[in-house]
Amino acid sequence: MKILHIVGGPSTGGAFKGAAILHDALLELKIDSKILNDMPRGHNENKFQKKDNKLVLINNSFFNKLINIFFVIIEKFLKVTFLHSPRSTFTFGFLGFDITKLQEYKEADLIHIHWLNQGFIGMKSISKMDKPIIWTMRDMWPFTGGAHYTMDFKKYEKSFLAQIIKRYKKKFFQNNIQFVAISDWLKAKAEKSYVLKGQEIKRIYNNVNLKDFKNISRSNARRALQVSTKKIVILYGAQNPQSKRKGWNLFVQSLKKLDTSKYFLIIFGSFWSHEVLNEIGIEYRSLGFVDDKKKLNKIYSCADLFVASSIQEAFGKTWLEALACGIPVVCFKRTSISEIIDHKTCGYVVENFNSNELKKGIDWLSLEIKKKNFKKKLRNKISKLDAPYIAKKYINLYKSTLKNK
């Protein structure tokens, strides 16, 4: 059984990380797995190519690299033309490579799509694929008018152009595709959408490699990071943590209501401004974007609690990694995160998207961590999200898909 994973974007992206964790687990389970990617050479691919060159770069030639740049420029031009605020969280998806002529495609028994945007593979190219396809939806893009999350483009999603793109997708997404959502939240959204309504959509949760996140004592982690405080340490982080859908504004409002003399805040990710935190007056430390697993392990372990204030999230990885390190999580109800967090057992589930209630959750958990040891309970809670467990679920899906082709 030969599997070819299709995942675009840099190795630091959430989609690539999720696909790579699965790919590694499949290799360990003796499945012939390869990743096809559009990264420029030198973008952290060496650690994956050590596994018998299992990472294939589509733009490894000068000509393909030029074509990819051309696709990306056209995509940006379309964004500037049709969107008021062009962002990386939007993709038209018209242009891309035709991979059906690649040797890796021809050799594969099954194609597993994870993420294909930014000039990697166009929608029309998908209709040319004559092999069984598993499509793991890692955001909302497969069934929207171009938005990776509709919250970022509410007005646009109702536009005439968005409807054209949706009809275009519905036309090219053939019956040889088995869609998989990485959360019940995403599955429900997909089932109600125009593009995927009536399709059978399976749910297999996102994965985490528990081997990467070991049990480190809080004191050792803080010593390693030179964090010296007797206050309750709140951790907040994501790739784009200050975006609206991440609930940054709600988190900031909750910080304003906290007794800041009791709390120390650690943030990580691509923050573009610390001005509001300076105004609040809370003691904090910003660690920037972190992609080193060992350092992340220490960062999570030095915290008392993690705040995941996302409003729209397919199934993020930061809060999952926090749980793997035994750190309880505060999150909102009716999100993918709340599917895993048991209220007042694994953390605190805030009933409404409200800063007062979020503040209440932070205060409650800060008192509980002094009474309870969450580490073992949280580690056991996510054992069924460990990479080998999730990989076996996909292997069963691969087998049933190939059997019924």
Side-chain angles (χ1 to χ4, degrees):
M1 185 164 56
K2 296 183 178 182
I3 311 299
L4 180 63
H5 300 273
I6 311 296
V7 53
S11 60
T12 55
F16 191 98
K17 286 180 178 179
I21 290 172
L22 173 61
H23 163 71
D24 286 346
L26 290 171
L27 290 177
E28 290 180 9
L29 293 168
K30 309 304 180 184
I31 299 296
D32 190 339
S33 175
K34 288 184 179 180
I35 294 180
L36 180 66
N37 180 256
D38 64 340
M39 289 190 299
R41 186 165 294 282
H43 279 226
N44 299 328
E45 80 274 11
N46 290 336
K47 57 186 175 183
F48 300 102
Q49 288 188 325
K50 286 178 182 177
K51 294 186 172 65
D52 301 321
N53 294 321
K54 294 294 185 180
L55 177 66
V56 182
L57 302 181
I58 199 168
N59 57 1
N60 58 357
S61 71
F62 181 72
F63 179 69
N64 278 3
K65 191 173 182 180
L66 283 179
I67 292 176
N68 187 230
I69 291 172
F70 173 74
F71 287 158
V72 171
I73 290 173
I74 294 297
E75 180 83 21
K76 287 181 178 179
F77 173 77
L78 290 172
K79 288 184 187 182
V80 171
T81 304
F82 293 103
L83 299 175
H84 293 297
S85 180
R87 309 177 197 179
S88 60
T89 55
F90 185 98
T91 311
F92 284 104
F94 292 127
L95 299 173
F97 293 99
D98 177 5
I99 69 164
T100 59
K101 296 177 182 178
L102 293 177
Q103 187 63 32
E104 288 78 15
Y105 174 84
K106 294 175 182 178
E107 292 174 354
D109 296 309
L110 185 144
I111 307 302
H112 191 156
I113 297 174
H114 297 265
W115 205 84
L116 45 72
N117 300 126
Q118 306 298 346
F120 183 19
I121 296 175
M123 288 181 280
K124 189 174 181 179
S125 300
I126 297 170
S127 65
K128 295 181 180 180
M129 297 182 190
D130 57 356
K131 296 176 183 284
I133 299 171
I134 302 294
W135 190 330
T136 295
M137 298 183 288
R138 297 189 177 275
D139 56 29
M140 300 173 76
W141 186 85
F143 54 87
T144 70
H148 291 273
Y149 286 95
T150 54
M151 188 175 176
D152 293 334
F153 298 93
K154 283 183 178 179
K155 187 176 179 180
Y156 168 81
E157 275 294 309
K158 298 177 181 178
S159 70
F160 180 67
L161 180 58
Q163 307 316 310
I164 291 176
I165 293 175
K166 288 175 186 177
R167 287 196 290 270
Y168 193 72
K169 286 180 177 179
K170 198 171 183 72
K171 175 183 176 182
F172 289 118
F173 292 173
Q174 304 299 321
N175 293 329
N176 62 332
I177 303 176
Q178 171 63 67
F179 287 94
V180 177
I182 59 174
S183 65
D184 288 326
W185 176 87
L186 188 62
K187 182 176 184 288
K189 295 290 184 184
E191 288 173 338
K192 293 177 183 177
S193 70
Y194 167 78
V195 177
L196 298 183
K197 192 173 184 179
Q199 291 250 25
E200 181 199 9
I201 298 170
K202 298 186 181 295
R203 189 269 290 151
I204 300 177
Y205 280 129
N206 206 356
N207 51 13
V208 63
N209 196 338
L210 291 180
K211 291 189 296 185
D212 290 334
F213 298 96
K214 304 183 187 305
N215 191 351
I216 302 174
S217 72
R218 189 172 287 122
S219 58
N220 286 343
R222 290 185 182 180
R223 194 178 303 114
L225 293 171
Q226 297 182 324
V227 173
S228 178
T229 182
K230 293 183 179 179
K231 298 178 181 179
I232 296 293
V233 175
I234 300 171
L235 184 62
Y236 184 93
Q239 275 197 310
N240 297 296
Q242 287 175 298
S243 65
K244 187 177 180 181
R245 69 176 183 84
K246 292 288 186 180
W248 170 249
N249 291 338
L250 288 170
F251 178 58
V252 167
Q253 291 304 314
S254 71
L255 289 179
K256 291 179 180 178
K257 294 161 185 172
L258 290 173
D259 182 350
T260 54
S261 66
K262 297 179 180 178
Y263 293 98
F264 183 95
L265 175 65
I266 296 178
I267 56 176
F268 67 94
S270 301
F271 283 82
W272 53 83
S273 173
H274 298 122
E275 184 178 350
V276 67
L277 296 179
N278 295 329
E279 290 173 356
I280 292 171
I282 189 169
E283 188 180 2
Y284 75 94
R285 183 173 170 188
S286 179
L287 300 175
F289 184 82
V290 181
D291 191 42
D292 182 275
K293 291 175 185 176
K294 289 183 179 179
K295 186 174 181 179
L296 278 171
N297 197 167
K298 293 170 186 173
I299 292 170
Y300 292 123
S301 298
C302 83
D304 291 296
L305 61 95
F306 185 93
V307 176
S309 57
S310 293
I311 299 169
Q312 275 195 345
E313 184 84 72
F315 199 93
K317 296 193 77 65
T318 52
W319 61 271
L320 192 56
E321 292 167 350
L323 289 178
C325 294
I327 308 305
V329 173
V330 181
C331 69
F332 287 115
K333 197 174 181 179
R334 297 181 300 280
T335 63
S336 60
I337 309 168
S338 65
E339 294 172 32
I340 304 300
I341 305 300
D342 295 327
H343 184 49
K344 294 187 176 181
T345 302
C346 299
Y348 191 98
V349 179
V350 180
E351 190 71 26
N352 300 300
F353 298 114
N354 179 286
S355 61
N356 288 322
E357 292 186 38
L358 182 58
K359 179 260 183 189
K360 180 182 175 182
I362 294 170
D363 279 336
W364 183 89
L365 198 53
S366 69
L367 293 173
E368 284 300 303
I369 55 177
K370 295 177 181 178
K371 307 173 189 175
K372 298 178 182 178
N373 185 353
F374 285 91
K375 282 186 179 290
K376 186 176 180 181
K377 185 181 293 184
L378 297 182
R379 187 84 174 182
N380 291 338
K381 174 67 179 176
I382 61 169
S383 61
K384 291 186 178 180
L385 302 178
D386 195 13
Y389 187 93
I390 296 298
K392 288 173 185 176
K393 281 183 170 290
Y394 273 109
I395 290 172
N396 290 334
L397 181 57
Y398 296 156
K399 288 178 178 178
S400 64
T401 302
L402 290 169
K403 184 179 178 181
N404 298 325
K405 73 174 181 177

